[in-house]
Amino acid sequence: MGLRIVGEAPFTTGVPGKPASRIASIFPNTGTMVTLPGIHATQRLAYVDLLNASARERGLPKLTRAEEDAEMAGAVDLIMEGDAILIRPHPDDMALAFQADELLQDLVAKHKVKFLDVRNQKVHDAIKRRGECWRVTPLPKSPQEMRQMIAASRIGIHGEEIYYYNKTNGTRFLTCQEFDRLAHLGDSSLRQHLAEIREFSARVNIRGKPEVDFFLADKPFSKADLAPHDFRALAPEELETLHRQLGEKFRSAVRPELQRDDPEDVQWRNAMCAALLGHEDEAVSEETLLGLSSEFFMQIQWLPGGRIEEGELIFDPIFDQGGDAARDPDLQRLYDEKSRAFIYNLVREYGDLEYVNIGRVIGSLSYRPPTEGRREVYIAQVKQRGSRKEILSIIRMQKWGIHEHLDEGKSQLEAILESEEYTEYVLDRRLGCWQLGMNVPGRITAKKIGERYSGKQANYRGIFIRSPYFERDYIPGIATDKIPNHRFRSDAFALAYARLLGRAAAANMIVGRCDSHGHVLFDDGDEVMLENDSGLPVEIVVADQTGTFADYSRDLQGVAAEYAEPINRRAEHVSHCHQFAGTYLDAFRERFFRIQQEYRNRKRAFDTLFKHRVRDEAGSFAYRWEKVLERLHRTDPRELATLIREHLALK
């Protein structure tokens, strides 16, 4: 069934540079799309008028009121933005939204059709079960993207684009600046727009939200101020005076610093973004729906993958468009062959799946500067059929794999061997960390995916290589460096946290965790704090052992000063900074001493743990392990605690 369009075709421009209509309504049951200017409610009415006109032509009675209501209930709201169509689904009828989606793919490519309102649990779950989290309209992730979202939200009804449109709930926000600007439009246009504002501020849409609302005005200025006036009947002088009076009242209802529309101003920009995203986005965020901690919020780009239907894995058709990715920037951002490869592995591992979604973590969740090597991180969301719980996993590509070694000029065989050696090195480091008391994740698995090499060596381009990655369970906590400062005002929280952080610092120092410049890596994004039901810290897990055993030769006294920084950074936020610091140092000293005693009591077990590995004083892991144990044996934890205390900056 072809799609019938009533009105201009989508993306048709009207006045120079402006679309003829930014909104549309689609009726999947009859394959009809209405794009007439107005609001979604008037498009529904136009559709009913069309049905009644058709009935008259065929000599049939017009629709009853109940039949009209049923036809209008079969509509799905659409918003055109750029070259994409956004579907605003009704949470209680997702099947209708998916029917609309299928029809729209006859007009535009699948990746140009996206879903709104994914913060709604019903909408989110329905899209997730289809393995299509990537179809969600992304939230802005930077000030630049926030400015772009604000600019793209400008919309009109029957006249100028004077409103800012919340695509999720359908409300158009009018600012006091835009209201004042109507004075420059001339008598006829001013009259038209004031009547429009009066009419639509009094209406609510199908979601119970006002069609037009007054930005930041709240109760002091509302639709009640416009309701008594018939703007079309006023004389020009009366109209001008009334508009000025209403504008003054609108302005007085808005804080002075927010009366000017300025996307460069942080306060105004944040307030407008909050209005455009809706209160639901503040109350229920993506990490809450997924069970992810807050540092992941707005940091995941979901990728096309596949869906499971009747036990069969069906990959998204977007993978058939791989050759088009170079010509389409949007498709290029979405097309990631690794997503399909991860899904293959997950299906083979877990068997009968209900759904699987793969997301790419964009940007680093750590504040440390980027380093060489591969850094892609992904998240996998899997649910087995019959299981009540989802499985969340973190996937991290191996830093040095075949691709990276080929780029260094190595032969294919050398690259394969060195990649395998690095995998063993990473796993050995993890075992060493665990043996020396570092609280690392309980499970980590080394796996591989197939890729085509496209790097620097031209003679190897196009060959099939096996790229290694590590998969671990997601840790449901918050990174220690991202804990809100206000939480440290609670003495119970602060002291429990200081105790855990001191214990973690001891193990971190023992394994010589630092970057390539010798700076200590600690409390900067890899340590994850877990809480109990009362919100108190109960555990710190080191999610990624980056930099461990990098410093295996320096005496630990030389790095002690850097372990004062976690306390100094939080001292002003705790009520009793000296008690906070003392708890940290006591826990550090006790934990260091305990690990040291465990080594001395089981010295042979520790010393021989990596005897089967090659010992090379140039830096093999077996040699590093040997030097770290020697240093542990000779170091006095009381001296270290004293040195850390000397570098505390407490009032």
Side-chain angles (χ1 to χ4, degrees), residues 162-325:
I162 61 174
Y163 310 105
Y164 295 87
Y165 188 49
N166 180 318
K167 298 186 293 290
T168 299
N169 65 28
T171 294
R172 297 157 183 81
F173 288 97
L174 179 66
T175 64
C176 60
Q177 175 177 305
E178 284 297 319
F179 189 86
D180 285 343
R181 197 173 64 84
L182 296 177
H184 304 293
L185 297 180
D187 178 80
S188 176
S189 188
L190 172 61
R191 196 179 299 275
Q192 172 198 334
H193 283 86
L194 288 175
E196 177 183 278
I197 295 166
R198 176 184 181 275
E199 176 186 354
F200 289 101
S201 63
R203 289 192 186 187
V204 294
N205 60 28
I206 195 171
R207 293 168 179 256
K209 301 293 184 181
E211 292 283 5
V212 168
D213 204 356
F214 302 97
F215 182 59
L216 299 178
D218 203 16
K219 292 181 181 179
F221 184 79
S222 69
K223 62 183 180 181
D225 292 285
L226 285 83
H229 307 292
D230 183 357
F231 296 104
R232 299 187 188 279
L234 294 175
E237 298 80 9
E238 293 175 315
L239 182 70
E240 184 180 335
T241 300
L242 180 57
H243 172 250
R244 185 173 60 253
Q245 291 171 346
L246 290 170
E248 289 171 356
K249 187 171 184 182
F250 191 172
R251 251 191 332 278
S252 67
V254 179
R255 286 161 43 195
E257 64 271 24
L258 297 173
Q259 291 176 4
R260 180 169 170 266
D261 297 7
D262 184 7
E264 299 299 326
D265 180 82
V266 174
Q267 274 189 290
W268 187 89
R269 183 175 68 229
N270 288 346
M272 179 55 77
C273 282
L276 296 180
L277 294 174
H279 296 296
E280 294 87 356
D281 293 279
E282 297 170 357
V284 184
S285 59
E286 183 170 14
E287 71 274 9
T288 303
L289 291 169
L290 289 176
L292 298 177
S293 58
S294 57
E295 66 262 33
F296 280 93
F297 184 44
M298 298 196 298
Q299 294 293 326
I300 299 174
Q301 180 183 30
W302 293 103
L303 301 170
R307 67 179 188 271
I308 316 294
E309 289 189 2
E310 298 180 0
E312 300 294 329
L313 172 62
I314 303 172
F315 279 107
D316 198 282
I318 204 168
F319 287 109
D320 298 330
Q321 301 174 259
D324 299 330

Side-chain angles (χ1 to χ4, degrees), residues 65-223:
R65 181 60 182 271
E67 289 171 333
E68 289 182 351
D69 289 344
E71 291 291 347
M72 288 193 285
V76 177
D77 294 345
L78 307 176
I79 296 100
M80 267 75 79
E81 189 167 281
D83 60 352
I85 299 179
L86 312 181
I87 297 174
R88 185 165 66 206
H90 194 291
D92 294 325
D93 197 353
M94 289 302 297
L96 188 67
F98 292 136
Q99 289 177 41
D101 176 35
E102 295 291 334
L103 287 171
L104 291 170
Q105 289 177 42
D106 291 336
L107 282 178
V108 295
K110 183 175 182 177
H111 67 281
K112 299 290 188 182
V113 183
K114 296 186 179 295
F115 289 90
L116 294 165
D117 204 17
V118 78
R119 297 300 178 271
N120 182 285
Q121 186 76 54
K122 292 180 180 178
V123 175
H124 174 270
D125 287 347
I127 295 172
K128 178 177 65 176
R129 284 194 296 270
R130 289 168 64 92
E132 293 189 336
C133 284
W134 67 277
R135 305 285 307 284
V136 171
T137 303
L139 295 178
K141 303 174 182 67
S142 67
Q144 176 61 23
E145 291 183 5
M146 292 170 75
R147 287 189 287 268
Q148 290 171 350
M149 182 185 75
I150 291 170
S153 73
R154 296 299 295 268
I155 198 170
I157 297 178
H158 295 301
E160 297 280 326
E161 292 185 347
I162 61 174
Y163 310 105
Y164 295 87
Y165 188 49
N166 180 318
K167 298 186 293 290
T168 299
N169 65 28
T171 294
R172 297 157 183 81
F173 288 97
L174 179 66
T175 64
C176 60
Q177 175 177 305
E178 284 297 319
F179 189 86
D180 285 343
R181 197 173 64 84
L182 296 177
H184 304 293
L185 297 180
D187 178 80
S188 176
S189 188
L190 172 61
R191 196 179 299 275
Q192 172 198 334
H193 283 86
L194 288 175
E196 177 183 278
I197 295 166
R198 176 184 181 275
E199 176 186 354
F200 289 101
S201 63
R203 289 192 186 187
V204 294
N205 60 28
I206 195 171
R207 293 168 179 256
K209 301 293 184 181
E211 292 283 5
V212 168
D213 204 356
F214 302 97
F215 182 59
L216 299 178
D218 203 16
K219 292 181 181 179
F221 184 79
S222 69
K223 62 183 180 181

